[in-house]
Amino acid sequence: KQEVTQIPAALSVPEGENLVLNCSFTDSAIYNLQWFRQDPGKGLTSLLLIQSSQREQTSGRLNASLDKSSGRSTLYIAASQPGDSATYLCAVRFSGSARQLTFGSGTQLTVLP
Amino acid sequence: SAVISQKPSRDICQRGTSLTIQCQVDSQVTMMFWYRQQPGQSLTLIATANQGSEATYESGFVIDKFPISRPNLTFSTLTVSNMSPEDSSIYLCSVDGTPRADTQYFGPGTRLTVL
């Protein structure tokens, strides 16, 4: 069964710290991997998309890496801010999955001022 | 990126009733997806809706409970039928993005509470 796991489930850090969120997936045959942000009671905002042929993507203070062979991705957030507080979701489009995404359970991040 | 709107944004419904959720996209898209997010959980795909054909449902979801319409390339509806408290969730529609078809974009969600 194709599954996506995120660790930790929750993380609390002081403002200014750099942090890493982890995502693992059970099948290395992926098409791409996408990181989302979800604020409480809201929809999802796409942060970064990594194609299976890529190793990393960067957007501002965010950097996402992909190691397909080990079934892992990380989201690195530099110089965290209270406004970064949200739930971060990792989603994988597995090869042959007809374009739908399989989501991890998310990491709830709190950045303390 | 695609701009997606959903109606209603939230609703409180009585057990046994039905609610239809609308999803509108600002551009034509081939595939639209409906997800459910139960309280404290991640997203689970309900079905994939293509224009001009019947929706494809994931395991555990059936058309009688979650009928879907897709009358054109910018619009879809999801109905939650004969609701029970277990249907209380956020329901989200999503589309493959334009111009990057690989990126999936999500609507703001419909928060449903069933009493």
Side-chain angles (χ1 to χ4, degrees):
Chain A
K1 183 181 178 184
Q2 295 168 330
E3 295 181 342
V4 179
T5 304
Q6 289 186 248
I7 296 173
L11 180 64
S12 183
V13 300
E15 182 177 4
E17 271 203 10
N18 304 324
L19 59 99
V20 175
L21 307 180
N22 297 294
C23 172
S24 61
F25 42 95
T26 54
D27 186 349
S28 62
I30 72 170
Y31 187 71
N32 60 41
L33 183 146
Q34 198 165 351
W35 283 93
F36 293 90
R37 167 186 174 139
Q38 185 176 32
D39 293 284
K42 305 291 186 181
L44 276 65
T45 301
S46 178
L47 297 174
L48 289 165
L49 171 78
I50 309 178
Q51 302 289 0
S52 63
S53 59
Q54 297 174 324
R55 296 299 298 266
E56 65 178 329
Q57 283 287 325
T58 298
S59 176
R61 294 183 293 110
L62 305 179
N63 177 276
S65 69
L66 174 65
D67 184 341
K68 215 172 46 168
S69 62
S70 66
R72 294 179 183 176
S73 175
T74 62
L75 179 67
Y76 174 83
I77 302 177
S80 59
Q81 303 170 358
D84 295 330
S85 298
T87 296
Y88 291 80
L89 294 163
C90 167
V92 175
R93 179 174 288 177
F94 290 101
S95 299
S97 66
R99 306 178 83 105
Q100 68 258 32
L101 299 177
T102 301
F103 280 83
S105 54
T107 294
Q108 185 174 351
L109 173 66
T110 302
V111 180
L112 303 171
Chain B
S1 64
V3 177
I4 305 169
S5 60
Q6 287 186 232
K7 290 181 181 179
S9 59
R10 58 176 61 225
D11 207 342
I12 301 173
C13 300
Q14 296 296 321
R15 179 195 299 262
T17 62
S18 297
L19 176 71
T20 295
I21 302 168
Q22 300 178 4
C23 179
Q24 180 76 51
V25 189
D26 69 342
S27 57
Q28 293 184 340
V29 294
T30 304
M31 301 177 77
M32 296 179 77
F33 307 89
W34 286 99
Y35 288 84
R36 179 177 74 180
Q37 187 177 29
Q38 294 177 299
Q41 305 294 317
S42 191
L43 280 75
T44 301
L45 182 66
I46 298 171
T48 302
N50 291 331
Q51 193 267 336
S53 63
E54 288 199 4
T56 302
Y57 289 83
E58 297 300 302
S59 176
F61 298 96
V62 296
I63 188 171
D64 290 346
K65 176 67 176 177
F66 297 101
I68 288 172
S69 77
R70 183 78 202 275
N72 57 53
L73 292 174
T74 64
F75 186 79
S76 178
T77 68
L78 169 75
T79 298
V80 186
S81 303
N82 188 26
M83 289 184 284
S84 67
E86 292 70 36
D87 294 318
S88 298
S89 298
I90 299 175
Y91 292 86
L92 301 107
C93 69
S94 72
V95 303
D96 279 342
T98 56
R100 294 198 59 182
D102 290 340
T103 302
Q104 200 160 107
Y105 294 98
F106 283 77
T110 294
R111 180 181 288 272
L112 171 62
T113 301
V114 184
L115 303 177

